[in-house]
Amino acid sequence: KNNTIVQEQIEEAENIYHKIKDMNNPDILHTMALLYFKLQNYQKAKEFMIEACNKLQDGHGVISKSSEILNNAINIFQYDQYELEYCKHQPSKYSY
């Protein structure tokens, strides 16, 4: 099974996405986020995932702890924690 995403596949997915994006379906946005995540474009993956979560909330969808969208959002956001490096270099409140 090939788990690699190449730019041509992303372009094809983008073309399909632009044809169906008016459906306002969080699953479509979620899928786009996963494709960009596999391409290691975490910023673009995060943008699609935020929109997927917003659409899910707007549609009064269920976001439980077993939600695939929520779990994948957590996985994607772990790669975009610019504050983490700053925090790692701060003294611990327990070091005094």
Side-chain angles (χ1 to χ4, degrees):
K1 179 172 151 177
N2 185 359
N3 287 327
T4 304
I5 300 291
V6 294
Q7 189 61 40
E8 292 82 23
Q9 290 169 312
I10 288 291
E11 290 169 7
E12 184 178 346
E14 282 279 353
N15 287 334
I16 294 168
Y17 168 73
H18 287 295
K19 291 176 184 175
I20 61 174
K21 69 180 179 181
D22 293 334
M23 294 174 65
N24 292 320
N25 185 314
D27 291 322
I28 294 168
L29 297 160
H30 175 232
T31 300
M32 290 301 297
L34 294 178
L35 290 173
Y36 276 105
F37 180 73
K38 283 187 147 242
L39 191 64
Q40 296 180 342
N41 184 338
Y42 302 123
Q43 182 59 41
K44 195 78 168 166
K46 182 179 165 183
E47 291 170 17
F48 274 105
M49 190 57 76
I50 289 170
E51 196 172 346
C53 290
N54 287 337
K55 294 288 183 201
L56 189 61
Q57 183 180 15
D58 292 346
H60 305 289
V62 176
I63 304 177
S64 68
K65 66 181 180 179
S66 63
S67 167
E68 189 173 340
I69 290 177
L70 177 62
N71 288 320
N72 285 325
I74 292 167
N75 290 334
I76 288 171
F77 274 73
Q78 74 180 338
Y79 290 93
D80 188 30
Q81 296 187 31
Y82 58 89
E83 301 97 348
L84 187 59
E85 285 305 312
Y86 171 78
C87 292
K88 285 178 5 185
H89 299 292
Q90 299 303 308
S92 167
K93 69 179 184 179
Y94 300 108
S95 63
Y96 298 105

